[in-house]
Amino acid sequence: MQDEAFETIVRQYRDNLFAIAFQYTKNAADADDMVQIALIKCYKSDKCFESEQHIRNWLIRVTVNECKRYLVSPWRRYTAPIEDYAATLGFESPEQSALFFAVMALPQKYRVPIHLYYYEDYSVREIAEVLGLRESAVQTRLMRARQKLKQTLEGQYHEGTL
């Protein structure tokens, strides 16, 4: 791959890949590592990409696979508190902060589809392809995640913390 083309890919996809990796690892340093591994694989790959969407899907798939590999690794490192990372984000409102923490509190199998659907604008079909799931499984995970988020956020609202 040419250096200029690769630099364009890095600039265009780095932040999206980081957000996806963070959904898995809950740690900024580890998410950076997963993105770096995915981008190195892209750089070393002699794969011919058909379109921007093909590159994006391939990078997300590689990132997801690296994150899964990391999560089962016996060398998995200490995870820093999520509050440390959240402090660097600078939320504009208490509601945004509450939503971030509610999403991060979801089990990983719900966090990633929610992120891909709402923040990356992937369709259910595309999420199913990227995660290697059936479309019905993705729809079920999205529905359950929404229910859990609704319960959590309504609870916080009624307690007066929002």
Side-chain angles (χ1 to χ4, degrees):
M1 177 173 286
Q2 295 177 345
D3 289 345
E4 290 176 17
F6 180 69
E7 287 176 21
T8 301
I9 289 170
V10 170
R11 278 192 303 277
Q12 189 169 358
Y13 298 110
R14 176 184 50 218
D15 293 340
N16 294 21
L17 297 176
F18 175 85
I20 292 165
F22 189 81
Q23 296 298 320
Y24 276 95
T25 63
K26 288 186 165 184
N27 179 304
D30 293 332
D32 277 335
D33 290 347
M34 299 304 108
V35 171
Q36 184 176 12
I37 291 168
L39 290 171
I40 288 170
K41 286 186 176 192
C42 179
Y43 184 76
K44 290 181 176 180
S45 173
D46 57 354
K47 186 170 185 63
C48 292
F49 296 105
E50 300 164 8
S51 65
E52 289 291 320
Q53 189 67 26
H54 186 208
I55 294 169
R56 182 178 183 216
N57 288 346
W58 187 87
L59 284 168
I60 289 174
R61 183 75 231 151
V62 171
T63 303
V64 166
N65 287 342
E66 289 302 322
C67 289
K68 288 179 179 180
R69 190 172 298 117
Y70 163 77
L71 291 174
V72 298
S73 167
W75 301 104
R76 188 171 170 194
R77 294 177 291 234
Y78 168 75
T79 302
I82 192 76
E83 291 80 12
D84 292 351
Y85 177 68
T88 67
L89 297 177
F91 297 108
E92 293 179 15
S93 68
E95 291 83 11
Q96 286 180 337
S97 176
L99 180 59
F100 172 79
F101 283 109
V103 169
M104 293 311 293
L106 291 172
Q108 176 247 315
K109 71 179 187 177
Y110 299 137
R111 277 194 317 269
V112 174
I114 284 287
H115 178 82
L116 291 173
Y117 189 81
Y118 288 105
Y119 295 100
E120 302 295 332
D121 294 324
Y122 269 57
S123 68
V124 169
R125 182 186 56 75
E126 291 170 325
I127 295 169
E129 289 174 11
V130 167
L131 298 179
L133 299 170
R134 292 188 316 263
E135 288 183 38
S136 60
V138 172
Q139 289 171 332
T140 299
R141 288 181 184 190
L142 287 169
M143 179 190 66
R144 290 181 181 162
R146 288 182 197 116
Q147 289 171 344
K148 288 179 181 292
L149 288 171
K150 182 179 178 183
Q151 290 171 348
T152 300
L153 295 171
E154 281 180 348
Q156 289 176 359
Y157 179 76
H158 292 301
E159 291 173 5
T161 58
L162 266 184

